[in-house]
Amino acid sequence: MRGLGICRVLVDLGWEEPRSNGQDTMTQERRSFSARRIMFRRDEIMSQVPVLCEGWAASTVQLTNGRRQILSFLLPGDMITAALLFDQRLHYSIDAITRGCYRVFDRAQFREAMFRSPKIFERILSIYNEEKIRADRLITDLGRRTGAERVACLILDLWDRLRKAGLAENDSIDFPLRQTHIADATGLTPVYVNKVLGEFRRSGLVTITERSLQINDEARLRRMTT
Amino acid sequence: MRGLGICRVLVDLGWEEPRSNGQDTMTQERRSFSARRIMFRRDEIMSQVPVLCEGWAASTVQLTNGRRQILSFLLPGDMITAALLFDQRLHYSIDAITRGCYRVFDRAQFREAMFRSPKIFERILSIYNEEKIRADRLITDLGRRTGAERVACLILDLWDRLRKAGLAENDSIDFPLRQTHIADATGLTPVYVNKVLGEFRRSGLVTITERSLQINDEARLRRMTT
DNA sequence: CGTAAAATTGAGCTGTCTCAATCAATGTGG
DNA sequence: CCACATTGATTGAGACAGCTCAATTTTACG
């Protein structure tokens, strides 16, 4: 249970106890969402900043011809985006992947905390920096890597993030993504993703069951991403 | 000459007069760089924040197998990246495209200004937001657009940025990019970029001469990017 | 148990790449 | 001011990674 149901960001800010023991002043009500629902729409004006407590989501962009790109996956504990602290307009949609719940916090509240404490200021900005670094990495993945490499990068990225958040079992992680999600995140086709994953599985790299992913040969997988 | 030689960011901050009339207290010496030089290396620890005054540069990532990706182009007046205000480590290299010059400013000086004035704070963060928005757009370009579309997006993006910075002639812009740069920015091959540009030229979309680009049919070009 | 969503597989097809050669432009040293 | 060297642009032929279309099987779930 460790790590589930609490929002890492808020713990970092000291707004929530690691072992959440009930009501504290900052606790907002949880809003729940169901799988495959659009949570927020592109260009929506957000007066508050949502933070995921449980479940997975994705920031997505829809092109006119139906093509879809996933910009990033949002894991339990993630703020939708730190950009909302500085810009009210959401520049992409947020789509739920699983069901889950989130809380919302006042931008003003967040910002006040930032100005009050340099440590919180640094923390928030480093969260935003991480978003940017991950975006830059995705750019080079999409621009200069083959399909198989991209899928490997994605798996390892999720692996590392979940691990760091304490959301990984020993050698496997919760993995609710459909192959369509992987396709939209890697700029590939569901059919092709299926072939890549089939290769991975057949060569003993990973084991994917309905809702979990196990990495059998991390070294080899990582070698694909260098 | 308008707009050349002064750094937009600094004007925005009130650190430099729009019509630069000599020495003021904030003016640092200009450092010049020559074309095709690596200006800063990935993972370099930057104690200061460089701002481009003249010339073009690019933030680039090199993969081990020689593949290269350009994350963004830096135009006259651009800060290398606002991320340097919050994180000393540069996460990619900066390569000069043309020759030009830049100035450096103390991170501390910048940050102090941010804390002193909420307006400057907003301004800096909105610069960072723009970087992030452009990165997100590039992700969807690379993930979900054809080669021709990507090139069109790139041209229009540069066009719009130069225009906004007051660095465009009536209908043409200074365009020092080699086809290799376009290839590395769009995730394509120089050979293929050449073919795409050939198409564009032959169909009367754009006219490219040695160092300038002219858009002949903006509407059609923009239609490719929707 | 039936139905809808997701995964899998196969057969072509095409956008983009690789390789390679040629040509144009620019800069450099003598 | 010329000859050469270097960098970039152009073009063609063939190859292949990844796509489309379409059919089939598996899984989830009310």
Side-chain angles (χ1 to χ4, degrees), chain B residues 7 36 42 55 62 65 101 104 144 152 156 159 166 171 203 212:
Chain B
C7 300
R36 231 164 316 123
R42 176 181 203 168
Q62 285 275 149
N65 38 215
C101 68
V104 297
R144 291 305 188 201
L156 282 172
W159 176 266
D171 56 347
S203 72
S212 86

Side-chain angles (χ1 to χ4, degrees), chain A residues 22 70 73 80 95 97 106 145 220 226:
Chain A
I70 290 182
F73 290 108
I80 294 306
D95 294 5
I97 293 172
D106 251 22
R145 305 190 112 109
R220 185 144 61 93
T226 55

